[in-house]
Amino acid sequence: MENSVHNADRPTTWHIYWQAALGRDLLLRPELAERIRNRLLAAHDVGGRKLLYYLLMPREIHLISILRPEDSTASFATGVSNVIGKWVREADGAFGPVFADRYQAQRVDTVEALRSEVRMLAWRPVAAGLQALPTNYANSALRAILGLCLPNGFHATALFDWLGGSVPQERTALQRALAVEPSNLEIVRWELVKGLVSARGTVGPSGPMARRVRGASAGLVAASRDRSVDGALKLLERWVEVKLGLHGGHGLSSRKGMEGARGRALVANLAMRSGLCSAACVARHYGRAKATLSEQMTASSARAADQAILSIPMEQIVREAIALATHPAVGGGGGGGGGGGGR
């Protein structure tokens, strides 16, 4: 959860969102969608604030907002969710939390990031099985932005102004972007990065684990067969095996000698670098002592050939690991030495 209190000198754009607590339906009654929409509009009826996008679903509420320098995301989001929570409790007659967390928020700093967020949110109702097409879903800003319905209080021009082009130009650009449905991999990675789902695994301190992953680690988890930390480690392991030119069908868990120790150390260093998990988790994954693995990781970090491998950008490693998982025949060994740098 983003806890930024003040944005000292300029307005900041945020993707702020809430996820319903287990058993709650945020749109249980038909009138709730209209009431929540009006609450979001009212919260932005203040000079300096602008609502760029909103999406209301039974399990999630998303908005993309420009907040003033003096605004705090915490007070703004809490003010919105307190009112919505009261209405939901009145609708279902149940006490207790309405949202799984108070709120979550992420900054949106570039045009590319904003277009990406709008695309993922536009397709979110389809991914959730609520509609067959993004433009068929009524409880979002999309139809007004594309000119398919009356704005009814929502000012779509705020989004186009942020994107920097004219309304016709930006509307056409959005239509082109929205024409490409996100892949299942994109959807799962986005959910992981947003914290809407957790990465699970069996290598936590007490066995089963659930944790938040971001960036490259989210890509690895999303691409793994069972969408787990264990599966992501296996993707890294396969990539390392190919990079080191290890053949023979032996996994790193059972591979003995210097080759096995070096491979496991590289996997551990990459797992920590990407934020996937700790060295202790990797040690449990391989059934090795953490102290021994830590020594091997230190040695690997000092080895010139391994430094070359560890210097490869994580996003490149993720792309190549996913390609190996999708097309196992791709690769075939890196010659046992080092990898190249970024492309």
Side-chain angles (χ1 to χ4, degrees):
M1 179 172 64
E2 173 59 57
N3 290 314
S4 176
V5 176
H6 291 294
N7 308 302
D9 56 358
R10 64 184 179 87
T12 305
T13 304
W14 296 93
H15 178 183
I16 302 173
Y17 51 103
W18 300 262
Q19 189 173 27
L22 187 64
R24 295 286 193 180
D25 184 343
L26 303 176
L27 304 181
L28 181 63
R29 295 183 180 175
E31 66 271 16
L32 272 175
E34 186 64 20
R35 293 182 75 183
I36 293 173
R37 177 183 180 278
N38 289 337
R39 178 69 186 95
L40 297 181
L41 291 173
H44 292 82
D45 193 18
V46 175
R49 291 182 186 173
K50 295 180 181 179
L51 179 60
L52 304 185
Y53 199 93
Y54 69 86
L55 170 65
L56 315 178
M57 302 199 314
R59 294 283 303 153
E60 299 167 21
I61 294 175
H62 296 263
L63 57 91
I64 301 178
S65 299
I66 297 176
L67 299 184
R68 303 170 300 176
E70 63 267 29
D71 285 327
S72 90
T73 53
S75 61
F76 174 83
T78 301
V80 170
S81 61
N82 282 347
V83 174
I84 295 173
K86 177 185 175 183
W87 291 341
V88 173
R89 280 189 289 270
E90 290 173 350
D92 63 20
F95 294 104
V98 169
F99 298 105
D101 199 350
R102 288 192 303 152
Y103 76 99
Q104 298 193 74
Q106 294 179 352
R107 285 177 56 134
V108 181
D109 292 323
T110 66
V111 169
E112 292 75 15
L114 181 58
R115 285 202 180 104
S116 176
E117 290 296 89
V118 169
R119 172 174 171 257
M120 296 305 294
L121 290 176
W123 281 96
R124 190 72 182 144
V126 178
L130 300 175
Q131 276 294 348
L133 293 171
T135 51
N136 289 349
Y137 192 70
N139 296 321
S140 82
L142 182 63
R143 290 176 58 79
I145 289 170
L146 296 181
L148 301 176
C149 70
L150 295 174
N152 193 21
F154 172 75
H155 301 293
T157 51
L159 175 65
F160 298 129
D161 289 343
W162 203 105
L163 292 172
S166 67
V167 172
Q169 287 175 330
E170 293 300 339
R171 184 171 282 163
T172 300
L174 274 179
Q175 287 171 329
R176 284 198 300 267
L178 295 176
V180 182
E181 181 175 2
S183 66
N184 191 54
L185 177 62
E186 285 182 283
I187 293 169
V188 175
R189 183 172 186 171
W190 186 85
E191 291 174 338
L192 287 163
V193 168
K194 298 302 177 191
L196 296 170
V197 297
S198 297
R200 301 192 177 275
T202 64
V203 291
S206 303
M209 66 185 297
R211 59 173 294 146
R212 177 84 176 264
V213 290
R214 296 181 173 88
S217 60
L220 289 167
V221 172
S224 67
R225 183 172 299 177
D226 55 359
R227 296 173 188 166
S228 69
V229 174
D230 307 62
L233 286 172
K234 290 176 182 176
L235 286 181
L236 276 180
E237 177 177 326
R238 174 61 180 146
W239 183 86
V240 167
E241 287 176 333
V242 169
K243 215 67 184 167
L244 297 182
L246 301 180
H247 304 289
H250 300 290
L252 292 178
S253 291
S254 59
R255 188 176 289 273
K256 301 183 184 299
M258 177 61 182
E259 285 185 338
R262 182 187 179 194
R264 290 188 291 271
L266 282 168
V267 170
N269 277 323
L270 291 172
M272 289 189 64
R273 177 182 154 201
S274 67
L276 176 63
C277 63
S278 66
C281 289
V282 181
R284 280 186 286 272
H285 176 73
Y286 286 124
R288 296 300 197 277
K290 179 182 179 296
T292 302
L293 180 63
S294 294
E295 291 177 2
Q296 293 165 348
M297 290 169 64
T298 300
S300 177
S301 298
R303 189 179 297 121
D306 289 3
Q307 288 174 356
I309 294 175
L310 294 172
S311 70
I312 299 174
M314 278 308 307
E315 285 298 333
Q316 178 182 333
I317 294 173
V318 172
R319 289 195 303 271
E320 293 177 357
I322 291 172
L324 284 170
T326 307
H327 306 289
V330 173
R343 290 191 182 113

